[in-house]
DNA sequence: TTCAGGCTCCCCATATCTGGTGAGGCCAGG
DNA sequence: CCTGGCCTCACCAGATATGGGGAGCCTGAA
């Protein structure tokens, strides 16, 4: 078992492209004998990337309906740190329940464990295992394999980060200290006058920072700039 | 060995306070027979928090000199995802070399492995093991224990997050679908007119959503509301 | 030394946002 | 049945942000 884990990690580490990661999810699914294994993420530019065993129909449907924005698994994991069983999530809204019904109809499975993974620059990814079984069987599976799945999830993300960095050559828009401070105060809800007072500079000067940050971040307005700075992990509120 | 890992994880999970985490680092140090084990982080408010086996002298020195801002381990890990051996870091600057000399003099150790861990809301922590030994011995140690250390690092962070969240009691205000959509478009940089057009409603209506979201989030203005929605994981950009 | 980049300050006119108040229709749960 | 939450629309006046211009100082790297 332990050797098998090593072998799977090795396979992921040696993946030459996204296709190999796809194959890795299939091997993992077979190895753990579950319905699905999925790894996916949204990078800093908003491009989606994923590898998994879901049916193409479901993936298409998911993208078409922009379910990313309301999927309780995504929303729940964004707020958490540790692996989360789907049962612990909030399925109370009507939208969530109809989503769940549809997902099950597409063969996603009624049980799931999702592991949130965060990388530099606000990167966020999700590694998920799902299956069709009763609560007890699932609890047993989770109990036995959680640790291994966490390790594998990290291997996936490591490799995916390699692909990304090779691909788009990380724009890395470093903001100057004052620009970061300005963004931070704005993100905290201060208006320009207040932020300027806090930074002990004139409001005019503050504006220069905000505009500089906007340009560096390729943002359309202040709110956009703050949103980007936040989601790229440049500032923390 | 495996049972020992479980026991250590259990101990961390059951930690009642920061003091217990401190004890955990000591146990880990003894168990792995290394010079030091350290877990530390900077939370969203900029408060430092840490548990570890470094001498008080070194900790004081570190804080006094504000080494956090130039420590190559910190700077390197901020840009990486996977565990990093200190040898892989950039020690080329003069400041870095003198820092290293000083650290070794304080008994920190000449070898180290640091595991960066990221949580929700930009939280960043570091779990480090360090020792005094030759490269070969260290490579062997890393090879054998990296996985376990990653798991333990996660346990530490999980518990630390519990401590933090226990303090500030996040109420988690739910936004309605339209409010979420409004926040999302604003986070994407659209102004009210554009967002309204996108949502196919009047700008007046959109304003109602924005104000509702502002109030629910306890935000002072639109930018603040978007920032909160983002950092609480309510929306995705 | 030169030069780029960060930090600081200023003006003007227009676009945009904000705060308050008011109203009607729809749907689910008590 | 009725209350509460959600979705939709409207007006107004004042506060705030935006876009573009110009200018001087300081520091560290080429």
């Amino acid at each position: 078992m332990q050797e098998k884990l090593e072998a799977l990690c090795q396979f992921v580490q040696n993946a030459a492209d996204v296709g190999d990661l796809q194959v890795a999810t299939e091997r993992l699914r077979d190895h753990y004998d579950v319905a699905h294994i999925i790894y996916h993420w949204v990078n800093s530019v908003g491009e989606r990337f994923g590898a998994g065993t879901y049916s193409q129909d479901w993936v298409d449907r998911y993208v078409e309906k922009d379910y990313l924005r309301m999927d309780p698994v995504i929303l729940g994991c964004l707020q958490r740190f540790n692996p989360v069983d789907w049962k612990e999530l909030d399925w109370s809204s009507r939208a969530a329940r109809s989503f769940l019904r549809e997902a099950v109809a597409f063969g996603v499975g009624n049980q799931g464990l999702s592991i949130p993974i965060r990388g530099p620059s606000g990167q966020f990814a999700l590694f998920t295992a799902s299956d069709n079984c009763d609560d007890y069987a699932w609890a047993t599976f989770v109990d036995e394999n959680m640790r291994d799945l966490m390790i594998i999830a990290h291997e996936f993300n490591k490799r995916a980060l390699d692909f990304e960095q090779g691909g788009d050559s990380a724009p890395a828009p470093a903001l100057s200290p004052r620009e970061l401070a300005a963004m931070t105060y704005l993100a905290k809800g201060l208006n320009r006058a207040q932020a300027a007072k806090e930074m002990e500079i004139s409001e005019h000067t503050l504006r220069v920072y905000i505009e500089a940050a906007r340009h560096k971040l390729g943002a359309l307005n202040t709110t956009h700039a703050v949103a980007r700075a936040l989601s790229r992990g440049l500032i923390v509120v």
PDB file of all heavy atoms in Angstrom, chain D residues 17-28:
ATOM      1  P    DA D  17     -13.216  58.549  -2.252  1.00  0.00           P
ATOM      2  OP1  DA D  17     -12.903  57.239  -1.663  1.00  0.00           O
ATOM      3  OP2  DA D  17     -12.360  59.719  -1.973  1.00  0.00           O
ATOM      4  O5'  DA D  17     -13.312  58.346  -3.837  1.00  0.00           O
ATOM      5  C5'  DA D  17     -14.257  57.423  -4.345  1.00  0.00           C
ATOM      6  C4'  DA D  17     -14.142  57.329  -5.857  1.00  0.00           C
ATOM      7  O4'  DA D  17     -14.556  58.581  -6.458  1.00  0.00           O
ATOM      8  C3'  DA D  17     -12.736  57.048  -6.382  1.00  0.00           C
ATOM      9  O3'  DA D  17     -12.862  56.122  -7.451  1.00  0.00           O
ATOM     10  C2'  DA D  17     -12.257  58.418  -6.855  1.00  0.00           C
ATOM     11  C1'  DA D  17     -13.541  59.064  -7.325  1.00  0.00           C
ATOM     12  N9   DA D  17     -13.598  60.530  -7.214  1.00  0.00           N
ATOM     13  C8   DA D  17     -13.434  61.276  -6.080  1.00  0.00           C
ATOM     14  N7   DA D  17     -13.555  62.574  -6.277  1.00  0.00           N
ATOM     15  C5   DA D  17     -13.818  62.670  -7.636  1.00  0.00           C
ATOM     16  C6   DA D  17     -14.051  63.780  -8.482  1.00  0.00           C
ATOM     17  N6   DA D  17     -14.058  65.041  -8.046  1.00  0.00           N
ATOM     18  N1   DA D  17     -14.278  63.525  -9.789  1.00  0.00           N
ATOM     19  C2   DA D  17     -14.281  62.251 -10.212  1.00  0.00           C
ATOM     20  N3   DA D  17     -14.081  61.135  -9.517  1.00  0.00           N
ATOM     21  C4   DA D  17     -13.848  61.419  -8.226  1.00  0.00           C
ATOM     22  P    DT D  18     -11.597  55.525  -8.191  1.00  0.00           P
ATOM     23  OP1  DT D  18     -11.934  54.173  -8.655  1.00  0.00           O
ATOM     24  OP2  DT D  18     -10.427  55.759  -7.334  1.00  0.00           O
ATOM     25  O5'  DT D  18     -11.502  56.449  -9.477  1.00  0.00           O
ATOM     26  C5'  DT D  18     -12.575  56.450 -10.407  1.00  0.00           C
ATOM     27  C4'  DT D  18     -12.244  57.316 -11.602  1.00  0.00           C
ATOM     28  O4'  DT D  18     -12.352  58.707 -11.243  1.00  0.00           O
ATOM     29  C3'  DT D  18     -10.833  57.122 -12.172  1.00  0.00           C
ATOM     30  O3'  DT D  18     -10.949  56.806 -13.543  1.00  0.00           O
ATOM     31  C2'  DT D  18     -10.142  58.462 -11.934  1.00  0.00           C
ATOM     32  C1'  DT D  18     -11.326  59.424 -11.881  1.00  0.00           C
ATOM     33  N1   DT D  18     -11.088  60.645 -11.066  1.00  0.00           N
ATOM     34  C2   DT D  18     -11.296  61.878 -11.637  1.00  0.00           C
ATOM     35  O2   DT D  18     -11.655  62.020 -12.788  1.00  0.00           O
ATOM     36  N3   DT D  18     -11.076  62.953 -10.801  1.00  0.00           N
ATOM     37  C4   DT D  18     -10.664  62.898  -9.477  1.00  0.00           C
ATOM     38  O4   DT D  18     -10.502  63.922  -8.823  1.00  0.00           O
ATOM     39  C5   DT D  18     -10.467  61.587  -8.937  1.00  0.00           C
ATOM     40  C7   DT D  18     -10.032  61.411  -7.518  1.00  0.00           C
ATOM     41  C6   DT D  18     -10.680  60.529  -9.750  1.00  0.00           C
ATOM     42  P    DG D  19      -9.779  56.133 -14.327  1.00  0.00           P
ATOM     43  OP1  DG D  19     -10.389  54.996 -15.022  1.00  0.00           O
ATOM     44  OP2  DG D  19      -8.634  55.955 -13.422  1.00  0.00           O
ATOM     45  O5'  DG D  19      -9.343  57.223 -15.405  1.00  0.00           O
ATOM     46  C5'  DG D  19     -10.309  58.129 -15.940  1.00  0.00           C
ATOM     47  C4'  DG D  19      -9.574  59.259 -16.649  1.00  0.00           C
ATOM     48  O4'  DG D  19      -9.587  60.421 -15.778  1.00  0.00           O
ATOM     49  C3'  DG D  19      -8.112  58.953 -16.965  1.00  0.00           C
ATOM     50  O3'  DG D  19      -7.812  59.361 -18.290  1.00  0.00           O
ATOM     51  C2'  DG D  19      -7.342  59.758 -15.937  1.00  0.00           C
ATOM     52  C1'  DG D  19      -8.264  60.930 -15.670  1.00  0.00           C
ATOM     53  N9   DG D  19      -8.127  61.474 -14.322  1.00  0.00           N
ATOM     54  C8   DG D  19      -7.824  60.787 -13.174  1.00  0.00           C
ATOM     55  N7   DG D  19      -7.763  61.552 -12.120  1.00  0.00           N
ATOM     56  C5   DG D  19      -8.038  62.828 -12.594  1.00  0.00           C
ATOM     57  C6   DG D  19      -8.117  64.071 -11.901  1.00  0.00           C
ATOM     58  O6   DG D  19      -7.953  64.300 -10.716  1.00  0.00           O
ATOM     59  N1   DG D  19      -8.421  65.121 -12.773  1.00  0.00           N
ATOM     60  C2   DG D  19      -8.636  64.990 -14.119  1.00  0.00           C
ATOM     61  N2   DG D  19      -8.917  66.096 -14.785  1.00  0.00           N
ATOM     62  N3   DG D  19      -8.571  63.826 -14.771  1.00  0.00           N
ATOM     63  C4   DG D  19      -8.270  62.799 -13.951  1.00  0.00           C
ATOM     64  P    DG D  20      -6.442  58.913 -18.979  1.00  0.00           P
ATOM     65  OP1  DG D  20      -6.778  58.542 -20.364  1.00  0.00           O
ATOM     66  OP2  DG D  20      -5.740  57.973 -18.089  1.00  0.00           O
ATOM     67  O5'  DG D  20      -5.593  60.265 -19.005  1.00  0.00           O
ATOM     68  C5'  DG D  20      -6.114  61.415 -19.664  1.00  0.00           C
ATOM     69  C4'  DG D  20      -5.396  62.646 -19.187  1.00  0.00           C
ATOM     70  O4'  DG D  20      -5.826  62.966 -17.840  1.00  0.00           O
ATOM     71  C3'  DG D  20      -3.869  62.472 -19.072  1.00  0.00           C
ATOM     72  O3'  DG D  20      -3.205  63.041 -20.201  1.00  0.00           O
ATOM     73  C2'  DG D  20      -3.506  63.251 -17.829  1.00  0.00           C
ATOM     74  C1'  DG D  20      -4.808  63.756 -17.269  1.00  0.00           C
ATOM     75  N9   DG D  20      -4.845  63.618 -15.813  1.00  0.00           N
ATOM     76  C8   DG D  20      -4.783  62.466 -15.078  1.00  0.00           C
ATOM     77  N7   DG D  20      -4.791  62.672 -13.791  1.00  0.00           N
ATOM     78  C5   DG D  20      -4.846  64.046 -13.664  1.00  0.00           C
ATOM     79  C6   DG D  20      -4.874  64.858 -12.504  1.00  0.00           C
ATOM     80  O6   DG D  20      -4.845  64.512 -11.329  1.00  0.00           O
ATOM     81  N1   DG D  20      -4.936  66.206 -12.838  1.00  0.00           N
ATOM     82  C2   DG D  20      -4.958  66.710 -14.105  1.00  0.00           C
ATOM     83  N2   DG D  20      -5.011  68.024 -14.217  1.00  0.00           N
ATOM     84  N3   DG D  20      -4.945  65.965 -15.198  1.00  0.00           N
ATOM     85  C4   DG D  20      -4.888  64.638 -14.906  1.00  0.00           C
ATOM     86  P    DG D  21      -1.602  63.019 -20.259  1.00  0.00           P
ATOM     87  OP1  DG D  21      -1.248  63.209 -21.675  1.00  0.00           O
ATOM     88  OP2  DG D  21      -1.109  61.851 -19.520  1.00  0.00           O
ATOM     89  O5'  DG D  21      -1.174  64.324 -19.447  1.00  0.00           O
ATOM     90  C5'  DG D  21      -1.421  65.614 -20.007  1.00  0.00           C
ATOM     91  C4'  DG D  21      -1.213  66.703 -18.979  1.00  0.00           C
ATOM     92  O4'  DG D  21      -2.019  66.432 -17.819  1.00  0.00           O
ATOM     93  C3'  DG D  21       0.202  66.801 -18.390  1.00  0.00           C
ATOM     94  O3'  DG D  21       1.055  67.542 -19.275  1.00  0.00           O
ATOM     95  C2'  DG D  21      -0.064  67.613 -17.133  1.00  0.00           C
ATOM     96  C1'  DG D  21      -1.453  67.125 -16.705  1.00  0.00           C
ATOM     97  N9   DG D  21      -1.375  66.208 -15.566  1.00  0.00           N
ATOM     98  C8   DG D  21      -1.372  64.834 -15.578  1.00  0.00           C
ATOM     99  N7   DG D  21      -1.281  64.310 -14.382  1.00  0.00           N
ATOM    100  C5   DG D  21      -1.206  65.402 -13.528  1.00  0.00           C
ATOM    101  C6   DG D  21      -1.097  65.467 -12.111  1.00  0.00           C
ATOM    102  O6   DG D  21      -1.022  64.522 -11.309  1.00  0.00           O
ATOM    103  N1   DG D  21      -1.045  66.776 -11.657  1.00  0.00           N
ATOM    104  C2   DG D  21      -1.110  67.888 -12.468  1.00  0.00           C
ATOM    105  N2   DG D  21      -1.042  69.067 -11.866  1.00  0.00           N
ATOM    106  N3   DG D  21      -1.222  67.843 -13.789  1.00  0.00           N
ATOM    107  C4   DG D  21      -1.264  66.575 -14.246  1.00  0.00           C
ATOM    108  P    DG D  22       2.639  67.385 -19.174  1.00  0.00           P
ATOM    109  OP1  DG D  22       3.234  68.123 -20.301  1.00  0.00           O
ATOM    110  OP2  DG D  22       2.952  65.959 -18.958  1.00  0.00           O
ATOM    111  O5'  DG D  22       2.997  68.179 -17.826  1.00  0.00           O
ATOM    112  C5'  DG D  22       2.486  69.490 -17.604  1.00  0.00           C
ATOM    113  C4'  DG D  22       2.938  69.955 -16.224  1.00  0.00           C
ATOM    114  O4'  DG D  22       2.263  69.158 -15.217  1.00  0.00           O
ATOM    115  C3'  DG D  22       4.440  69.777 -15.994  1.00  0.00           C
ATOM    116  O3'  DG D  22       5.045  70.985 -15.564  1.00  0.00           O
ATOM    117  C2'  DG D  22       4.524  68.741 -14.913  1.00  0.00           C
ATOM    118  C1'  DG D  22       3.195  68.874 -14.181  1.00  0.00           C
ATOM    119  N9   DG D  22       2.854  67.617 -13.524  1.00  0.00           N
ATOM    120  C8   DG D  22       2.558  66.408 -14.119  1.00  0.00           C
ATOM    121  N7   DG D  22       2.347  65.455 -13.263  1.00  0.00           N
ATOM    122  C5   DG D  22       2.510  66.052 -12.020  1.00  0.00           C
ATOM    123  C6   DG D  22       2.412  65.498 -10.711  1.00  0.00           C
ATOM    124  O6   DG D  22       2.171  64.348 -10.387  1.00  0.00           O
ATOM    125  N1   DG D  22       2.653  66.471  -9.738  1.00  0.00           N
ATOM    126  C2   DG D  22       2.955  67.774  -9.986  1.00  0.00           C
ATOM    127  N2   DG D  22       3.165  68.552  -8.922  1.00  0.00           N
ATOM    128  N3   DG D  22       3.049  68.310 -11.202  1.00  0.00           N
ATOM    129  C4   DG D  22       2.813  67.389 -12.167  1.00  0.00           C
ATOM    130  P    DA D  23       6.690  71.043 -15.522  1.00  0.00           P
ATOM    131  OP1  DA D  23       7.070  72.446 -15.792  1.00  0.00           O
ATOM    132  OP2  DA D  23       7.245  69.940 -16.338  1.00  0.00           O
ATOM    133  O5'  DA D  23       7.017  70.719 -14.001  1.00  0.00           O
ATOM    134  C5'  DA D  23       6.521  71.571 -12.983  1.00  0.00           C
ATOM    135  C4'  DA D  23       7.004  71.068 -11.637  1.00  0.00           C
ATOM    136  O4'  DA D  23       6.250  69.885 -11.275  1.00  0.00           O
ATOM    137  C3'  DA D  23       8.474  70.628 -11.668  1.00  0.00           C
ATOM    138  O3'  DA D  23       9.214  71.426 -10.753  1.00  0.00           O
ATOM    139  C2'  DA D  23       8.469  69.198 -11.213  1.00  0.00           C
ATOM    140  C1'  DA D  23       7.107  69.028 -10.567  1.00  0.00           C
ATOM    141  N9   DA D  23       6.609  67.653 -10.680  1.00  0.00           N
ATOM    142  C8   DA D  23       6.288  66.965 -11.814  1.00  0.00           C
ATOM    143  N7   DA D  23       5.881  65.740 -11.598  1.00  0.00           N
ATOM    144  C5   DA D  23       5.952  65.604 -10.220  1.00  0.00           C
ATOM    145  C6   DA D  23       5.669  64.544  -9.348  1.00  0.00           C
ATOM    146  N6   DA D  23       5.232  63.362  -9.761  1.00  0.00           N
ATOM    147  N1   DA D  23       5.856  64.740  -8.034  1.00  0.00           N
ATOM    148  C2   DA D  23       6.294  65.932  -7.619  1.00  0.00           C
ATOM    149  N3   DA D  23       6.589  67.013  -8.338  1.00  0.00           N
ATOM    150  C4   DA D  23       6.394  66.777  -9.639  1.00  0.00           C
ATOM    151  P    DG D  24      10.806  71.473 -10.850  1.00  0.00           P
ATOM    152  OP1  DG D  24      11.160  72.895 -10.964  1.00  0.00           O
ATOM    153  OP2  DG D  24      11.268  70.483 -11.842  1.00  0.00           O
ATOM    154  O5'  DG D  24      11.275  70.961  -9.414  1.00  0.00           O
ATOM    155  C5'  DG D  24      10.692  71.508  -8.242  1.00  0.00           C
ATOM    156  C4'  DG D  24      10.875  70.513  -7.102  1.00  0.00           C
ATOM    157  O4'  DG D  24      10.057  69.343  -7.380  1.00  0.00           O
ATOM    158  C3'  DG D  24      12.316  70.015  -6.977  1.00  0.00           C
ATOM    159  O3'  DG D  24      12.757  70.222  -5.646  1.00  0.00           O
ATOM    160  C2'  DG D  24      12.247  68.531  -7.298  1.00  0.00           C
ATOM    161  C1'  DG D  24      10.783  68.190  -7.040  1.00  0.00           C
ATOM    162  N9   DG D  24      10.309  67.070  -7.854  1.00  0.00           N
ATOM    163  C8   DG D  24      10.194  67.016  -9.225  1.00  0.00           C
ATOM    164  N7   DG D  24       9.733  65.874  -9.657  1.00  0.00           N
ATOM    165  C5   DG D  24       9.518  65.122  -8.507  1.00  0.00           C
ATOM    166  C6   DG D  24       9.028  63.807  -8.343  1.00  0.00           C
ATOM    167  O6   DG D  24       8.673  63.013  -9.218  1.00  0.00           O
ATOM    168  N1   DG D  24       8.978  63.446  -6.998  1.00  0.00           N
ATOM    169  C2   DG D  24       9.355  64.251  -5.954  1.00  0.00           C
ATOM    170  N2   DG D  24       9.246  63.741  -4.744  1.00  0.00           N
ATOM    171  N3   DG D  24       9.803  65.488  -6.091  1.00  0.00           N
ATOM    172  C4   DG D  24       9.865  65.857  -7.388  1.00  0.00           C
ATOM    173  P    DC D  25      14.264  69.859  -5.270  1.00  0.00           P
ATOM    174  OP1  DC D  25      14.685  70.878  -4.284  1.00  0.00           O
ATOM    175  OP2  DC D  25      15.064  69.598  -6.495  1.00  0.00           O
ATOM    176  O5'  DC D  25      14.091  68.479  -4.502  1.00  0.00           O
ATOM    177  C5'  DC D  25      13.300  68.420  -3.317  1.00  0.00           C
ATOM    178  C4'  DC D  25      13.401  67.013  -2.737  1.00  0.00           C
ATOM    179  O4'  DC D  25      12.681  66.096  -3.595  1.00  0.00           O
ATOM    180  C3'  DC D  25      14.837  66.504  -2.666  1.00  0.00           C
ATOM    181  O3'  DC D  25      15.098  65.982  -1.385  1.00  0.00           O
ATOM    182  C2'  DC D  25      14.918  65.430  -3.733  1.00  0.00           C
ATOM    183  C1'  DC D  25      13.473  64.953  -3.831  1.00  0.00           C
ATOM    184  N1   DC D  25      13.123  64.431  -5.183  1.00  0.00           N
ATOM    185  C2   DC D  25      12.642  63.119  -5.295  1.00  0.00           C
ATOM    186  O2   DC D  25      12.519  62.439  -4.269  1.00  0.00           O
ATOM    187  N3   DC D  25      12.328  62.642  -6.527  1.00  0.00           N
ATOM    188  C4   DC D  25      12.476  63.419  -7.604  1.00  0.00           C
ATOM    189  N4   DC D  25      12.148  62.902  -8.794  1.00  0.00           N
ATOM    190  C5   DC D  25      12.958  64.745  -7.510  1.00  0.00           C
ATOM    191  C6   DC D  25      13.264  65.215  -6.293  1.00  0.00           C
ATOM    192  P    DC D  26      16.613  65.596  -0.985  1.00  0.00           P
ATOM    193  OP1  DC D  26      16.851  66.080   0.396  1.00  0.00           O
ATOM    194  OP2  DC D  26      17.528  65.973  -2.092  1.00  0.00           O
ATOM    195  O5'  DC D  26      16.519  64.015  -0.963  1.00  0.00           O
ATOM    196  C5'  DC D  26      15.373  63.361  -0.412  1.00  0.00           C
ATOM    197  C4'  DC D  26      15.513  61.860  -0.617  1.00  0.00           C
ATOM    198  O4'  DC D  26      15.003  61.515  -1.924  1.00  0.00           O
ATOM    199  C3'  DC D  26      16.970  61.364  -0.577  1.00  0.00           C
ATOM    200  O3'  DC D  26      17.030  60.177   0.192  1.00  0.00           O
ATOM    201  C2'  DC D  26      17.298  61.132  -2.040  1.00  0.00           C
ATOM    202  C1'  DC D  26      15.944  60.720  -2.604  1.00  0.00           C
ATOM    203  N1   DC D  26      15.786  60.986  -4.056  1.00  0.00           N
ATOM    204  C2   DC D  26      15.264  59.975  -4.891  1.00  0.00           C
ATOM    205  O2   DC D  26      14.938  58.884  -4.395  1.00  0.00           O
ATOM    206  N3   DC D  26      15.120  60.221  -6.223  1.00  0.00           N
ATOM    207  C4   DC D  26      15.473  61.405  -6.716  1.00  0.00           C
ATOM    208  N4   DC D  26      15.299  61.588  -8.021  1.00  0.00           N
ATOM    209  C5   DC D  26      16.002  62.437  -5.895  1.00  0.00           C
ATOM    210  C6   DC D  26      16.144  62.187  -4.588  1.00  0.00           C
ATOM    211  P    DT D  27      18.486  59.582   0.595  1.00  0.00           P
ATOM    212  OP1  DT D  27      18.526  59.576   2.071  1.00  0.00           O
ATOM    213  OP2  DT D  27      19.554  60.255  -0.174  1.00  0.00           O
ATOM    214  O5'  DT D  27      18.399  58.080   0.096  1.00  0.00           O
ATOM    215  C5'  DT D  27      17.128  57.410   0.029  1.00  0.00           C
ATOM    216  C4'  DT D  27      17.247  56.215  -0.891  1.00  0.00           C
ATOM    217  O4'  DT D  27      16.948  56.618  -2.257  1.00  0.00           O
ATOM    218  C3'  DT D  27      18.646  55.589  -0.933  1.00  0.00           C
ATOM    219  O3'  DT D  27      18.546  54.183  -0.891  1.00  0.00           O
ATOM    220  C2'  DT D  27      19.222  56.079  -2.239  1.00  0.00           C
ATOM    221  C1'  DT D  27      17.972  56.147  -3.110  1.00  0.00           C
ATOM    222  N1   DT D  27      18.078  57.089  -4.259  1.00  0.00           N
ATOM    223  C2   DT D  27      17.551  56.721  -5.469  1.00  0.00           C
ATOM    224  O2   DT D  27      16.990  55.668  -5.665  1.00  0.00           O
ATOM    225  N3   DT D  27      17.695  57.669  -6.463  1.00  0.00           N
ATOM    226  C4   DT D  27      18.312  58.903  -6.357  1.00  0.00           C
ATOM    227  O4   DT D  27      18.380  59.652  -7.318  1.00  0.00           O
ATOM    228  C5   DT D  27      18.840  59.215  -5.056  1.00  0.00           C
ATOM    229  C7   DT D  27      19.531  60.522  -4.843  1.00  0.00           C
ATOM    230  C6   DT D  27      18.712  58.309  -4.077  1.00  0.00           C
ATOM    231  P    DG D  28      19.880  53.314  -0.528  1.00  0.00           P
ATOM    232  OP1  DG D  28      19.713  52.842   0.845  1.00  0.00           O
ATOM    233  OP2  DG D  28      21.098  54.085  -0.908  1.00  0.00           O
ATOM    234  O5'  DG D  28      19.775  52.071  -1.530  1.00  0.00           O
ATOM    235  C5'  DG D  28      18.517  51.728  -2.124  1.00  0.00           C
ATOM    236  C4'  DG D  28      18.750  51.273  -3.556  1.00  0.00           C
ATOM    237  O4'  DG D  28      18.824  52.446  -4.417  1.00  0.00           O
ATOM    238  C3'  DG D  28      20.069  50.517  -3.770  1.00  0.00           C
ATOM    239  O3'  DG D  28      19.852  49.483  -4.723  1.00  0.00           O
ATOM    240  C2'  DG D  28      20.996  51.585  -4.344  1.00  0.00           C
ATOM    241  C1'  DG D  28      20.019  52.382  -5.190  1.00  0.00           C
ATOM    242  N9   DG D  28      20.442  53.758  -5.471  1.00  0.00           N
ATOM    243  C8   DG D  28      21.054  54.631  -4.613  1.00  0.00           C
ATOM    244  N7   DG D  28      21.293  55.799  -5.163  1.00  0.00           N
ATOM    245  C5   DG D  28      20.804  55.669  -6.460  1.00  0.00           C
ATOM    246  C6   DG D  28      20.782  56.609  -7.532  1.00  0.00           C
ATOM    247  O6   DG D  28      21.201  57.761  -7.542  1.00  0.00           O
ATOM    248  N1   DG D  28      20.198  56.063  -8.664  1.00  0.00           N
ATOM    249  C2   DG D  28      19.690  54.787  -8.766  1.00  0.00           C
ATOM    250  N2   DG D  28      19.169  54.441  -9.937  1.00  0.00           N
ATOM    251  N3   DG D  28      19.702  53.909  -7.782  1.00  0.00           N
ATOM    252  C4   DG D  28      20.272  54.418  -6.660  1.00  0.00           C
TER     253       DG D  28
END
